[in-house]
Amino acid sequence: MLEKDDTIKTEGQKPEDAAAEAFLEKERKRLYENKTDDNHLFLRNILNSIFIILAILAMIGVLVFKSESFWLTISYAVGIVAVLVKMVEVMLRMPGIKKQEPRYKSRLRTKR
C-alpha cells in the first residue's frame, strides 16, 4: 500500500489521482521486471512437450513390455530421462536461480 510520502502531487491533480498514478507506475515497474521470466517461456513449453511425450512413451512401454527385461529397462530409462527434462524446466521457472543474493547476509554479521 502507499504511504503518505509515496503520493506525488502535481499541479492540478488531486492527491487521490497522484496516489493512483504512483501505484500504476510501481505496477509498471514490477511487471517490467517480471517480463524477464517470459524470456524462457518458449523453451519451457518445448521442454514440457518433450516431457509429456517421453512420459507417455515410458508408461506405454511399461504396460506393453511387462515380461521382456530389455525393453522394460529401456522404458524405465525413458521415464528417468522424462523426469530429468522436467527438472530442467522447473529450474528455468525458479525466479532467483540466476541472481542468487544471500538472504542470510545479516545473520553472518555478529557483534563482538
Side-chain angles (χ1 to χ4, degrees), residues 4-108:
K4 288 184 179 181
D5 299 330
D6 290 342
T7 59
I8 303 169
K9 279 192 175 183
T10 58
E11 292 180 31
Q13 228 180 8
K14 295 180 181 178
E16 297 86 19
D17 294 340
E21 195 64 38
F23 175 75
L24 288 175
E25 185 63 32
K26 284 183 180 182
E27 282 297 306
R28 283 188 202 107
K29 285 181 184 178
R30 184 182 65 80
L31 290 174
Y32 180 75
E33 290 171 359
N34 289 342
K35 190 159 181 96
T36 58
D37 295 340
D38 292 339
N39 292 340
H40 299 295
L41 185 62
F42 180 74
L43 179 60
R44 285 180 40 219
N45 286 339
I46 296 296
L47 289 174
N48 267 329
S49 301
I50 292 171
F51 164 72
I52 290 169
I53 292 168
L54 289 176
I56 289 172
L57 287 176
M59 287 187 287
I60 290 172
V62 168
L63 291 174
V64 170
F65 304 115
K66 289 182 182 177
S67 60
E68 297 178 30
S69 174
F70 175 74
W71 291 108
L72 186 62
T73 306
I74 296 295
S75 298
Y76 284 135
V78 169
I80 290 171
V81 170
V83 170
L84 291 174
V85 167
K86 186 63 178 178
M87 289 172 74
V88 170
E89 189 271 331
V90 168
M91 292 288 284
L92 289 174
R93 206 179 334 155
M94 293 183 173
I97 199 75
K98 284 189 263 181
K99 43 186 171 181
Q100 296 246 339
E101 298 175 9
R103 295 179 183 167
Y104 56 86
K105 199 172 189 178
S106 61
R107 293 183 208 154
L108 292 177

